[in-house]
């Protein structure tokens, strides 16, 4: 946008620096960036021309701050990738009449029970499910569905508290785990879901949605670890043209958007490829986490962060034909975990970052961090590594070599 005044854009919330700085870096290239944050900015400051610190659970406070941060022409634009403030931001945008996913649609996405119920009402493929409030209810539902089942909190994120259970004893244990699970300010205590287990590999599909039109941009293959928990230990994106996406998957994802009322924004759908066809796990009304938009840009050439910004400005994102097929590469992120519960003294990635094919390496656990393996601690990661290569075999090899070169100074914790 050289020679033109850059549009002003307000981001609500932030997320951690290792996971979201790339988003700020991408936006500041083309937009005058401001932010509404729950605490004063630190590392974010270099990207911001202005900011406000408010209670980011209060839609009225967010709306007032966004209005104060509007450009000289009075125009405002707002969006967030932060799960913790997504509902409040949607409500604030509604108060201001700004382009944004509606608060109703956001709530339907965040509430997994509501998502399931609405999908079932429209006779869309969906696992059998039941909302329960006791271990006895959970055991009865599981016996009805047949083993195994999945037990999960109703409204958390990041697969926290989600467990595969093989028998009644495991269901009762899983119910207690899910009931006690928590993640920052997200709501808990609203009941626990027991669901039919979906067999097959899990993928995620990120889409750009403008005025109700859903364009599926990429498929990421999800790497899961630490069974019977569903810890996301990595993701892989291969450049594909939109025409190459599985039509059944695309149809399901588009139908889910329609049923949940999602008509604006960039979304992140999680799908299981079962023997009976694709099934929606959940639809997130925001950019994907775990650096997925970053590896998507590396593989496809499409910047989902900028797409979200354009939608917030009321403009349909434009993708060149060259970018539609991407650079034709494969990009994969892998998260490095400790071998046991530990306290971190330091993590050295210098040798890992020098491995051919590794394009990004970042420490996720600063000195003093206590990491407890699933299910004791949410997302207990030491580092993130990203490889880019011509195919999955090559990214896997680079990541295998690099992971062996990660030097983690840790102290085992008792237990």
């Amino acid at each position: 946008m050289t020679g033109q005044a850059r549009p002003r854009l307000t981001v609500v919330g932030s997320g951690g620096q290792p996971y979201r700085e790339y988003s700020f870096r991408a936006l500041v290239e083309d937009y005058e960036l401001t932010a509404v944050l729950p605490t004063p900015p630190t590392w974010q400051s270099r990207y911001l021309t202005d900011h406000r610190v408010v209670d980011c659970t209060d839609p009225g406070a967010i709306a007032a701050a966004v209005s104060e941060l509007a450009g000289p022409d009075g125009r405002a634009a707002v969006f967030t990738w932060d799960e913790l403030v997504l509902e409040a931001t949607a409500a604030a945008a509604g108060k201001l009449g700004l382009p944004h996913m509606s608060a109703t649609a956001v709530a339907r996405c965040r509430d997994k029970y509501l998502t399931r119920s609405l999908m079932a009402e429209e006779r869309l493929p969906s696992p059998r499910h039941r909302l329960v409030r006791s271990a006895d209810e959970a055991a009865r539902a599981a016996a009805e569905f047949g083993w195994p089942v999945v037990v999960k909190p109703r409204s958390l994120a990041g697969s926290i508290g989600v467990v595969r259970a093989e028998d009644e004893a495991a269901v009762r244990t899983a119910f207690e785990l899910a009931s006690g699970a928590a993640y920052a300010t997200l709501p808990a205590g609203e009941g626990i879901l027991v669901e039919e287990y979906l067999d097959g590999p899990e993928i995620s599909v990120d889409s750009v949605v403008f005025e109700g039109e859903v364009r599926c941009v990429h498929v990421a293959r999800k790497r899961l670890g630490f069974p019977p928990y569903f810890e996301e230990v990595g993701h892989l994106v291969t450049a594909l043209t939109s025409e190459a996406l599985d039509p059944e998957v695309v149809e399901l994802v588009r139908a889910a958007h329609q049923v949940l009322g999602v008509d604006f924004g960039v979304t992140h759908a999680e799908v299981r490829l079962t023997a009976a066809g694709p099934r929606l796990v959940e639809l997130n009304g925001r950019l994907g986490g775990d650096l997925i938009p970053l590896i998507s840009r590396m593989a496809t050439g499409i910047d989902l962060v900028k797409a979200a910004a354009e939608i917030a400005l009321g403009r349909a994102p434009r993708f060149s034909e060259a970018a539609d097929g991407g650079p034709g590469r494969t990009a994969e992120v892998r998260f490095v975990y400790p071998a046991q519960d530990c306290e971190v003294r330091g993590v050295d990635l210098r040798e890992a970052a020098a491995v051919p094919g590794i394009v990004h390496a970042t420490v996720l656990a600063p000195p003093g961090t206590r990491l407890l393996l699933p299910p004791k601690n949410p997302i207990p990661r030491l580092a993130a590594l990203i490889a880019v290569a011509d195919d999955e075999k090559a990214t896997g090899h680079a990541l295998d070599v690099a992971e062996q070169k990660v030097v983690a100074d840790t102290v085992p914790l008792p237990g």
Side-chain angles (χ1 to χ4, degrees):
M1 298 186 180
T2 304
Q4 301 179 25
R6 295 182 300 164
R8 181 171 290 197
L9 178 69
T10 299
V11 174
V12 181
S14 169
Q17 183 176 9
Y19 287 104
R20 291 300 186 182
E21 185 170 19
Y22 77 90
S23 300
F24 283 93
R25 190 180 298 119
L27 290 173
V28 80
E29 294 175 357
D30 293 328
Y31 309 97
E32 183 183 348
L33 201 58
T34 66
V36 178
L37 301 169
T39 58
T42 52
W43 59 268
Q44 304 97 330
S45 295
R46 74 193 72 169
Y47 303 105
L48 304 177
T49 59
D50 202 354
H51 72 276
R52 295 291 184 274
V53 176
V54 305
D55 177 359
C56 285
T57 66
D58 181 346
I62 294 174
V66 170
S67 296
E68 291 176 11
L69 293 169
D73 57 1
R75 295 184 62 186
V78 62
F79 85 108
T80 185
W81 50 70
D82 189 341
E83 184 79 22
L84 302 180
V85 302
L86 184 57
E87 291 190 69
T89 302
K95 288 177 179 290
L96 297 172
L98 298 177
H100 197 283
M101 188 183 307
S102 72
T104 298
V106 169
R108 289 172 174 174
C109 292
R110 287 230 63 262
D111 185 334
K112 297 174 178 62
Y113 175 64
L114 190 52
T115 297
R116 290 276 183 268
S117 300
L118 292 170
M119 294 281 287
E121 285 176 12
E122 294 299 318
R123 300 185 182 279
L124 290 172
S126 186
R128 289 179 293 169
H129 63 280
R130 186 164 301 156
L131 186 68
V132 302
R133 300 185 183 279
S134 72
D136 287 341
E137 285 185 68
R140 287 195 293 270
E144 179 182 328
F145 296 158
W147 312 103
V149 295
V150 174
V151 182
K152 64 174 65 171
R154 180 174 178 173
S155 299
L156 294 186
S159 299
I160 293 167
V162 182
V163 187
R164 171 174 162 156
E166 303 284 348
D167 55 34
E168 181 176 335
V171 165
R172 292 180 178 276
T173 300
F175 177 86
E176 297 304 324
L177 176 68
S179 298
Y183 185 71
T185 59
L186 294 182
E190 302 173 326
I192 300 299
L193 271 176
V194 177
E195 298 182 348
E196 172 187 14
Y197 175 71
L198 299 174
D199 67 318
E202 188 167 339
I203 62 172
S204 60
V205 182
D206 283 20
S207 303
V208 171
V209 192
F210 185 75
E211 295 181 342
E213 182 178 345
V214 181
R215 171 175 175 168
C216 298
V217 172
H218 77 240
V219 168
R221 275 180 273 168
K222 186 178 295 189
R223 315 298 200 190
L224 296 175
F226 298 92
Y229 314 108
F230 292 80
E231 183 78 12
E232 297 176 12
V233 300
H235 308 268
L236 177 142
V237 175
T238 301
L240 291 172
T241 62
S242 55
E243 292 76 14
L245 297 175
D246 184 324
E248 275 193 278
V249 171
V250 171
E251 181 180 358
L252 175 65
V253 170
R254 287 177 173 166
H257 282 77
Q258 183 174 9
V259 166
L260 301 181
V262 177
D263 56 3
F264 275 95
V266 174
T267 63
H268 178 73
E270 298 180 358
V271 176
R272 277 269 176 167
L273 304 178
T274 78
R279 298 290 185 268
L280 184 78
V281 176
E282 60 186 53
L283 177 65
N284 296 285
R286 53 162 174 77
L287 286 162
D290 275 0
L291 302 171
I292 293 174
L294 178 59
I295 63 170
S296 174
R297 186 179 72 199
M298 293 172 175
T300 69
I302 295 175
D303 192 327
L304 290 169
V305 180
K306 289 184 178 179
E310 287 296 289
I311 292 169
L313 289 160
R315 307 191 299 215
R318 295 183 179 182
F319 306 120
S320 68
E321 292 185 10
D324 193 28
R329 308 300 300 278
T330 295
E332 183 171 0
V333 59
R334 179 180 297 178
F335 299 106
V336 181
Y337 291 74
Q340 60 188 34
D341 297 349
C342 66
E343 181 172 324
V344 179
R345 287 179 172 172
V347 180
D348 188 340
L349 299 179
R350 286 174 294 182
E351 289 189 28
V355 171
I358 298 298
V359 299
H360 181 82
T362 188
V363 174
L364 301 177
T369 304
R370 291 167 60 90
L371 297 180
L372 306 179
L373 296 179
K376 292 171 283 187
N377 199 54
I379 318 176
R381 299 164 174 169
L382 290 165
L385 305 171
I386 295 178
V388 176
D390 292 332
D391 54 38
E392 180 179 356
K393 182 178 179 181
T395 58
H397 175 72
L399 290 168
D400 288 344
V401 174
E403 186 171 6
Q404 293 301 313
K405 294 182 179 294
V406 173
V407 179
D409 181 7
T410 63
V411 179
L413 294 175

